Amino acid sequence: MTNQYVKKVLVVGGGISGLSAAIALNKIGIEVEIAEKELEWNVYGVGIIQPPNALRALNEIGLADACMEQGTSYPGFDYYTGQGHFLFHTASPTIVGYPGVNGISRRQLHNILFEAVESTDTKIYMGTTVNTIENKENGVKVALNNGITATYDLVIGSDGANSKVRTLLFGEIEQRYSGQGVWRYNLPRPKEIDKGLFYYGKDAKAGLVPMSDDLMYLLVTTNEPGNPKFPNNQLHNLLKERMTEFGGIIAGIAKQIVDPSEVVYRPIFTHLMKSPWYKGNVLLVGDAAHGTAPHLGQGASIAIEDVVVLADILKHNLPVQETMEAFMEKRFERCKMIVENSDQLVEWELLTSAGRMTEKVNVGEFLKMTLEKMNEPFLSELNV
Ligand SMILES: Cc1cc2nc3c(=O)[nH]c(=O)nc-3n(C[C@H](O)[C@H](O)[C@H](O)COP(=O)(O)OP(=O)(O)OC[C@H]3O[C@@H](n4cnc5c(N)ncnc54)[C@H](O)[C@@H]3O)c2cc1C
């Protein structure tokens, strides 16, 4: 059913959640404009893990097949000690017909989303951000920095962890530095790496993640007290230094890390906006609302879920405030669980490294339980 209350939407931020929002809303007949602050798309080349719930959400917007075709699917993850002793396996089930996990490069994912947006009438303003946002009786009045002022029925803040929309609406919020950083590097994928592999060292965790038939990426999560800044031309050596505690395959890979410009380092910050994530007719989605540590590979997955759920609720043609309330009802607890469980994994890794891990925990069971919850239905009926 066409929504009589929401006909025209501004999406601020053309990342994974913003492009997905444009596709999802177009599908239900809503006109969308996107304001993206970068003049050109600037997506780094390492890979992204798409667990079953990401594929299910992408299927809702018609893009799971393209991701599977351009990426590579694998059945789950094996976990080992830093010296290569097997610990446990997390299997990823087939849901909505897509087997296991898909690995894909971020650029390819972006291209798939962007091409889908381009095939619609969505207007994209590149190099553009919002200057002001005001909730008015007849909608949201927005002044863009390109001189355009317009009124929209709904504004979606999908402008990432440092969201300007969020700051304009809610003021500054605290993003917690987790104490860890992630290093990533693309490598040729040997044939025998047919699933994701993780190795738990004492001070670091290393992973090998397939992202196409012949490419994989190395990721190394390390403790970085005080959030240090590193010189760009030393990133390769710094990464290798952090891999010295590993044996076996990870030790063998270290010699392939030669180009500092190919190392992608990110400190891990996390945050969870208190509910509600909206004010009037302006709603935050994706990292703008919930920034999670990457330990469950879920940040982009729940960002895509957010906008698929929003589009699903909009089909019910409710007044905007009821749409917003229904959205929070469906999204808050699910995203909170992911942010908190990812924070929990970070904390256990930090305690282990400091030799202060007193609790007896079964990380494998915790991971399996969390991933099972993510595979539960997320588009159940609304109580309307
Ligand atoms: C190390 C690491 C590994 C990760 N691995 C995975 C993984 O394997 N699987 C997974 O699901 N998730 C993963 N994530 C999380 C995932 O990358 C994010 O959750 C996802 O990118 C969020 O999408 P988003 O669209 O909300 O924000 P973003 O991807 O940050 O996009 C925001 C967009 O808004 C634009 N923008 C910013 N400010 C403004 C502004 N003021 N005005 C207009 N536009 C603006 C930006 O240029 C950008 O295009 C990982 C994250 C990290 C840090």
Side-chain angles (χ1 to χ4, degrees):
M1 188 199 294
T2 315
N3 192 302
Q4 73 189 89
Y5 306 98
V6 180
K7 295 185 183 308
K8 188 175 171 193
V9 172
L10 176 69
V11 170
V12 183
I16 295 172
S17 59
L19 294 175
S20 302
I23 299 159
L25 298 188
N26 257 289
K27 277 189 181 299
I28 53 168
I30 294 175
E31 182 189 340
V32 180
E33 295 179 3
I34 298 178
E36 163 57 48
K37 82 165 182 199
E38 299 295 334
L39 273 171
E40 288 180 2
W41 301 112
N42 182 16
V43 182
Y44 50 96
V46 287
I48 190 155
I49 298 167
Q50 299 185 310
N53 64 306
L55 294 169
R56 174 174 56 188
L58 285 160
N59 185 48
E60 290 291 326
I61 55 172
L63 297 179
D65 284 333
C67 289
M68 296 289 288
E69 274 159 27
Q70 295 190 38
T72 187
S73 73
Y74 50 97
F77 294 88
D78 280 348
Y79 291 78
Y80 297 86
T81 65
Q83 296 307 314
H85 301 294
F86 180 75
L87 293 170
F88 57 88
H89 174 72
T90 55
S92 293
T94 296
I95 55 175
V96 295
Y98 295 101
V101 188
N102 193 50
I104 190 166
S105 100
R106 281 177 180 261
R107 283 200 191 116
Q108 272 166 315
L109 173 60
H110 173 85
N111 290 344
I112 290 168
L113 294 170
F114 180 59
E115 275 169 27
V117 171
E118 267 199 322
S119 71
T120 68
D121 292 332
T122 303
K123 205 182 278 173
I124 305 183
Y125 304 112
M126 295 300 291
T128 303
T129 187
V130 280
N131 280 346
T132 58
I133 304 179
E134 291 170 83
N135 275 298
K136 301 272 192 192
E137 264 189 15
N138 63 339
V140 190
K141 189 174 168 201
V142 178
L144 298 174
N145 68 342
N146 60 5
I148 292 176
T149 298
T151 299
Y152 300 88
D153 301 315
L154 176 68
V155 171
I156 297 178
S158 53
D159 50 344
N162 300 312
S163 168
K164 182 167 180 187
V165 176
R166 187 182 65 216
T167 305
L168 287 172
L169 256 79
F170 296 92
E172 295 294 337
I173 65 151
E174 190 201 348
Q175 295 188 55
R176 298 176 300 274
Y177 176 56
S178 67
Q180 290 189 323
V182 185
W183 307 72
R184 287 170 291 174
Y185 197 87
N186 288 353
L187 293 160
R189 173 184 170 192
K191 288 232 165 343
E192 59 275 18
I193 301 211
D194 55 2
K195 52 177 90 101
L197 304 174
F198 277 106
Y199 298 83
Y200 278 107
K202 181 174 172 295
D203 295 322
K205 181 180 70 192
L208 295 175
V209 184
M211 61 191 220
S212 74
D213 287 347
D214 45 21
L215 264 186
M216 63 181 185
Y217 68 97
L218 165 75
L219 71 88
V220 183
T221 309
T222 54
N223 302 335
E224 303 294 350
N227 188 15
K229 301 282 170 282
F230 300 114
N232 285 340
N233 65 356
Q234 283 309 311
L235 288 175
H236 59 320
N237 290 327
L238 292 163
L239 170 55
K240 280 191 279 193
E241 274 171 24
R242 284 156 175 76
M243 292 166 65
T244 50
E245 68 166 303
F246 295 97
I249 188 168
I250 299 295
I253 270 172
K255 61 178 175 303
Q256 295 181 51
I257 299 167
V258 289
D259 183 352
S261 70
E262 289 294 312
V263 179
V264 179
Y265 174 75
R266 293 281 182 278
I268 302 174
F269 282 85
T270 74
H271 68 93
L272 175 70
M273 279 283 293
K274 280 191 207 129
S275 179
W277 301 336
Y278 65 87
K279 230 175 215 176
N281 291 19
V282 186
L283 173 69
L284 303 176
V285 299
D287 277 13
H290 41 75
T292 171
H295 292 49
L296 291 161
Q298 280 287 344
S301 315
I302 56 177
I304 302 167
E305 280 188 359
D306 280 351
V307 298
V308 168
V309 168
L310 176 64
D312 192 53
I313 298 170
L314 284 166
K315 283 186 212 155
H316 289 76
N317 193 27
L318 302 169
V320 175
Q321 294 314 294
E322 285 179 41
T323 294
M324 299 292 196
E325 282 160 26
F327 177 86
M328 289 313 304
E329 182 74 26
K330 283 176 149 283
R331 295 309 294 161
F332 184 72
E333 288 302 326
R334 186 170 168 89
C335 296
K336 177 171 178 273
M337 188 268 287
I338 285 298
V339 173
E340 289 181 348
N341 286 14
S342 303
D343 282 350
Q344 178 65 81
L345 290 164
V346 172
E347 189 188 329
W348 285 336
E349 287 175 18
L350 290 171
L351 286 171
T352 302
S353 162
R356 292 194 290 112
M357 183 73 172
T358 48
E359 230 181 313
K360 194 153 178 49
V361 291
N362 186 330
V363 176
E365 284 310 311
F366 183 80
L367 280 169
K368 285 177 205 169
M369 179 269 294
T370 306
L371 296 173
E372 262 168 34
K373 277 196 191 161
M374 293 317 294
N375 295 337
E376 286 170 4
F378 77 118
L379 280 178
S380 51
E381 284 304 300
L382 292 180
N383 297 320
V384 292

